[in-house]
Amino acid sequence: MTVSEREAREVAEAAREQDWRKPSFAKEMFLGRFRLDLIHPHPEPPAEDVRRGEDFLAKLRDFCETSVDGARIEREDRIPDEVIAGLKDLGALGMKVGPEYGGLGLTQVYYNKALAMVSSASPAVGALLSAHQSIGVPQPLKMFGTQEQKDTFLPRCARTDISAFLLTEPDVGSDPARLATTALPDGDDYVIDGVKLWTTNGVVADLLVVMARVPKSDGHRGGITAFVVEGASEGITVENRNTFMGLRGLENGVTRLHQVRVPAANRIGKEGEGLKIALTTLNTGRLSLPATCVGAGKWCLKIAREWGEARVQWGRPVAEHEAVGSKMSFIAATTYALEAVVDLSSQMADEERNDIRIEAALAKLYGSEMAWQMADELVQIRGGRGYETAESLAARGERGVPAEQLLRDLRINRIFEGSTEIMHLLIAREAVDAHLSVAGDLIDPDKTLSDKGRAAVSAGGFYARWLPRLVAGAGQLPGAYADFGQLAEHLRYVERTSRKLARSTFYAMSRWQGRMETKQGFLGRIVDIGAELFAMSAVCVRAEKARRDALSSSVEDGKAAYQLADVFCRQSRVRVEELFGRLWHNTDDLDRKVVRNILDGAYTWLEEGVVDASAEGPWISEALPGPSKKENVHRRIR
């Protein structure tokens, strides 16, 4: 399909949740309003949820330690069937499915803790469980399914059936307006044709969530629509099992659907609501990825601590050398921050008092970027041993530490479930929603003069009230947030900086107006600043909770938590100041000119002197509808 840039934006905009029915800490923060009351005191889970969650974690730990051989999965590029069968017996497929459907009914908090644990044993197993429950059949049915659909499919998802999510196509990634897979109404059925790429779990899935375009016709509103499809349906062929840099064992493939009949009763929601269902599902589904990043950070810290003490150079353990010690400090502080962000966002999701669409997106963005940095630092701390595979280390008699594997495994997190670049744009759009709501017509070239006049009146009233509040706030009062002790200065910084961030955003909108959406470098830095401020807030609230809980014998040391929170905030503030400096002093304009010259062939002389080792073939494979000409590599796990 060929669609214009405007049409693509309209499709994406229509899929957004338009209303804010609940408060949002992050949304307020981007507007310069530091609503600490929305996250402090730190929300607490009910005691029964904690008991059930801890009971399951104990069973899961035992299973991971005795039955999950991560080295074997890495070596054989496959999760053994007996491991998946054990997960089914344990109830791990139904962690997020309610007990009334045979699931465990865990909270988001404990679901994420479980993913962090199992991913530390094998990232591929964590990915299988996450794809099944975070974006596969259970979550969209839980939120949008009919009672009949829940009764039919959720018991299967909880115990026996693996599910997958099929949206991406060979020529369609983050631009779903060009979705080519079709679902033609035919009596009480739909007939689906198309090819889907990167179908995580698709190679072994029993149930699929398929996104397809329904043509508009009499009695059919049409649009991108979600369906539950039986994986064994006639006409479905898994044509290829993909392999990747990392995540060996990931059951990810290319799936062709040819004349696949799906009952209308299997449609999720209404026609045309598919993308909205997908995005709404991801509001909490995105928290699973940063949860696995927390697990990675914890493992990095453990290995760095043990190695930093055991390895001696120049008469001292390497941890005592500042060049290495600073990396260890970064790993410890950042792991604490990631866990604070994920736990806070997850508990907010469980309570359902706040709209966490921005918080979850920030957690995904921040977690994927910082976990990758931590793994890279661990490889550097380990030196040559960090670059050597665990199998090679073990073969010559040393501890088989898979540091290089972790680096490879984590790299995908910056790409899937929304690449860093897409997350920047998604969060930026939500962050400026209040401005576009009152002043959007002013910068829309298609609006009439009368539309712009009404918008000017509305915007004038909004900004007359809003702008004066950005001048001063609690962050300028020396005694503000005193109950946070030594962390109070960081909260004052966050309050001041949130107002500065809002002023910078307003200035940019005033300066660039309709061209603001093209300033992706600027928007990315705005979002990165917001991510740091959210992380600092979460860290301070968590550390204060630990201090209070320490009075009643908490497992988390309150004094140590305060120290980690303090050092993280100081590291974060350095990054924030650098990002602010780059808002207005950067090479964005020059970069655009260079890119234009690259595309015009001005620098092809620079490419000379090398050999291109790429195999021949098209950049993007053709995905024309029709019957499959390949062997079906789908395998059923029993």
Side-chain angles (χ1 to χ4, degrees):
M1 290 185 63
T2 300
V3 298
S4 67
E5 181 178 359
R6 181 180 181 83
E7 289 172 323
R9 292 182 184 280
E10 287 175 349
V11 170
E13 184 65 18
R16 282 183 60 249
E17 287 186 77
Q18 303 293 326
D19 301 323
W20 293 86
R21 301 182 183 89
K22 301 175 183 178
S24 164
F25 172 81
K27 176 177 180 285
E28 293 293 298
M29 181 184 67
F30 277 110
L31 285 170
R33 301 190 286 242
F34 184 50
R35 291 286 308 279
L36 186 61
D37 61 294
L38 293 178
I39 60 173
H40 176 68
H42 195 291
E44 299 268 10
E48 176 59 21
D49 289 344
V50 173
R51 185 195 64 77
R52 287 190 297 110
E54 292 294 339
D55 285 349
F56 177 72
L57 288 183
K59 297 175 184 176
L60 182 64
R61 173 178 287 278
D62 180 67
F63 178 80
C64 288
E65 291 177 342
T66 59
S67 303
V68 179
D69 185 345
R72 177 187 173 187
I73 294 171
E74 173 73 5
R75 185 171 59 252
E76 298 180 355
D77 190 20
R78 179 158 295 180
I79 303 171
D81 286 5
E82 60 267 25
V83 171
I84 298 178
L87 291 169
K88 292 180 179 181
D89 292 341
L90 199 63
L93 293 187
M95 286 187 284
K96 292 196 71 179
V97 178
E100 65 272 27
Y101 301 108
L104 299 180
L106 296 186
T107 63
Q108 186 73 38
V109 169
Y110 277 96
Y111 170 66
N112 286 340
K113 289 182 183 296
L115 288 180
M117 180 181 293
V118 77
S119 295
S120 67
S122 168
V125 176
L128 181 142
L129 292 175
S130 174
H132 167 66
Q133 293 172 90
S134 298
I135 57 176
V137 171
Q139 190 66 17
L141 282 194
K142 177 182 175 181
M143 301 179 71
F144 299 98
T146 65
Q147 190 59 53
E148 181 181 1
Q149 289 171 339
K150 294 175 183 178
D151 292 339
T152 300
F153 296 114
L154 289 185
R156 293 169 56 183
C157 291
R159 289 290 176 180
T160 59
D161 290 11
I162 297 172
S163 66
F165 177 76
L166 280 61
L167 171 62
T168 304
E169 299 176 359
D171 198 28
V172 179
S174 299
D175 179 14
R178 298 170 57 247
L179 196 79
T181 298
T182 58
L184 302 181
D186 184 17
D188 292 332
D189 297 336
Y190 289 85
V191 179
I192 300 182
D193 282 276
V195 178
K196 295 295 186 178
L197 177 63
W198 296 325
T199 59
T200 299
N201 287 359
V203 179
V204 297
D206 305 288
L207 291 171
L208 314 171
V209 175
V210 178
M211 295 290 172
R213 184 184 301 278
V214 178
K216 183 180 293 187
S217 62
D218 289 343
H220 293 276
R221 59 183 290 187
I224 298 174
T225 307
F227 300 89
V228 178
V229 181
E230 295 283 354
S233 298
E234 183 177 352
I236 293 182
T237 305
V238 179
E239 296 189 333
N240 193 65
R241 182 179 185 270
N242 304 322
T243 57
F244 302 96
M245 173 195 298
L247 282 185
R248 304 278 170 80
L250 188 71
E251 298 292 353
N252 180 293
V254 176
T255 301
R256 178 178 292 272
L257 300 98
H258 174 61
Q259 297 288 291
V260 177
R261 300 192 75 85
V262 180
N266 286 21
R267 187 188 68 221
I268 308 174
K270 299 177 181 178
E271 290 182 357
E273 293 183 344
L275 284 182
K276 181 169 291 188
I277 289 171
L279 290 178
T280 305
T281 298
L282 279 173
N283 281 345
T284 54
R286 280 199 177 99
L287 290 174
S288 62
L289 190 149
T292 65
C293 292
V294 170
K298 288 174 177 287
W299 185 80
C300 285
L301 178 60
K302 180 178 186 294
I303 298 301
R305 174 179 57 81
E306 294 175 355
W307 172 250
E309 184 178 35
R311 177 62 163 167
V312 176
Q313 291 283 275
W314 305 102
R316 289 188 294 168
V318 294
E320 295 181 12
H321 293 283
E322 188 174 285
V324 173
S326 63
K327 298 178 187 300
M328 295 174 64
S329 174
F330 166 75
I331 291 172
T334 305
T335 297
Y336 185 73
L338 289 189
E339 189 166 46
V341 166
V342 172
D343 281 359
L344 176 62
S345 300
S346 299
Q347 187 59 48
M348 292 166 71
D350 286 331
E351 292 188 346
E352 298 184 345
R353 288 190 297 110
N354 295 316
D355 187 320
I356 65 157
R357 73 183 83 162
I358 301 181
E359 287 84 349
L362 287 173
K364 189 277 176 187
L365 169 69
Y366 198 68
S368 59
E369 290 293 326
M370 300 306 275
W372 162 258
Q373 289 184 39
M374 287 191 289
D376 189 53
E377 294 290 29
L378 177 64
V379 167
Q380 193 70 19
I381 290 171
R382 288 273 291 158
R385 289 173 174 83
Y387 192 67
E388 191 172 0
T389 67
E391 188 175 30
S392 176
L393 287 164
R396 59 183 182 79
E398 292 193 2
R399 183 174 175 181
V401 179
E404 61 82 28
Q405 179 192 334
L406 182 67
L407 194 62
R408 290 187 286 104
D409 289 339
L410 286 174
R411 186 58 183 85
I412 188 59
N413 291 349
R414 300 172 64 205
I415 298 173
F416 68 9
E417 289 192 26
S419 69
T420 291
E421 293 74 22
I422 290 298
M423 297 307 296
H424 278 151
L425 298 181
L426 184 152
I427 297 168
R429 172 62 185 87
E430 299 294 353
V432 301
D433 185 55
H435 298 287
L436 294 179
S437 296
V438 299
D441 287 355
L442 283 174
I443 59 177
D444 188 337
D446 294 333
K447 294 300 180 180
T448 65
L449 286 177
S450 59
D451 290 334
K452 291 180 182 292
R454 285 191 294 270
V457 173
S458 176
F462 172 79
Y463 289 118
R465 297 186 301 272
W466 178 69
L467 285 171
R469 298 174 183 173
L470 301 182
V471 177
Q476 294 164 290
L477 303 176
Y481 313 114
D483 53 327
F484 281 82
Q486 70 188 75
L487 301 181
E489 67 167 291
H490 301 308
L491 290 177
R492 291 195 292 269
Y493 176 84
V494 173
E495 195 280 334
R496 294 194 306 272
T497 307
S498 67
R499 286 186 282 112
K500 180 179 179 181
L501 183 63
R503 292 195 300 269
S504 299
T505 304
F506 175 73
Y507 173 72
M509 290 190 64
S510 302
R511 176 181 176 181
W512 291 314
Q513 298 185 33
R515 292 184 296 125
M516 180 78 161
E517 64 186 20
T518 69
K519 303 297 181 179
Q520 295 180 3
F522 177 89
L523 292 172
R525 294 176 198 113
I526 286 289
V527 169
D528 285 340
I529 292 170
E532 295 283 1
L533 297 182
F534 178 45
M536 291 171 67
S537 304
V539 156
C540 290
V541 169
R542 176 183 176 136
E544 172 59 19
K545 177 182 181 297
R547 185 191 67 80
R548 288 185 286 106
D549 289 351
L551 301 176
S552 57
S553 184
S554 171
V555 295
E556 184 169 310
D557 187 307
K559 184 176 181 180
Y562 251 58
Q563 184 181 53
L564 283 176
D566 180 54
V567 71
F568 171 78
C569 288
R570 295 187 187 281
Q571 293 172 359
S572 180
R573 287 169 68 164
V574 172
R575 294 190 291 266
V576 168
E577 293 306 313
E578 179 184 354
L579 286 165
F580 267 116
R582 291 172 54 209
L583 280 182
W584 311 110
H585 304 285
N586 52 63
T587 61
D588 291 351
D589 291 339
L590 181 58
D591 292 341
R592 279 190 286 273
K593 294 177 182 178
V594 171
V595 170
R596 187 69 265 165
N597 285 340
I598 291 173
L599 296 178
D600 289 343
Y603 308 131
T604 53
W605 51 267
L606 190 58
E607 301 167 11
E608 296 176 2
V610 298
V611 175
D612 186 352
S614 306
E616 291 295 322
W619 286 105
I620 299 172
S621 60
E622 287 193 15
L624 298 176
S628 180
K629 300 176 182 178
K630 296 185 177 182
E631 177 187 357
N632 189 357
V633 298
H634 177 270
R635 66 186 182 94
R636 179 79 184 259
I637 298 194
R638 302 186 182 278

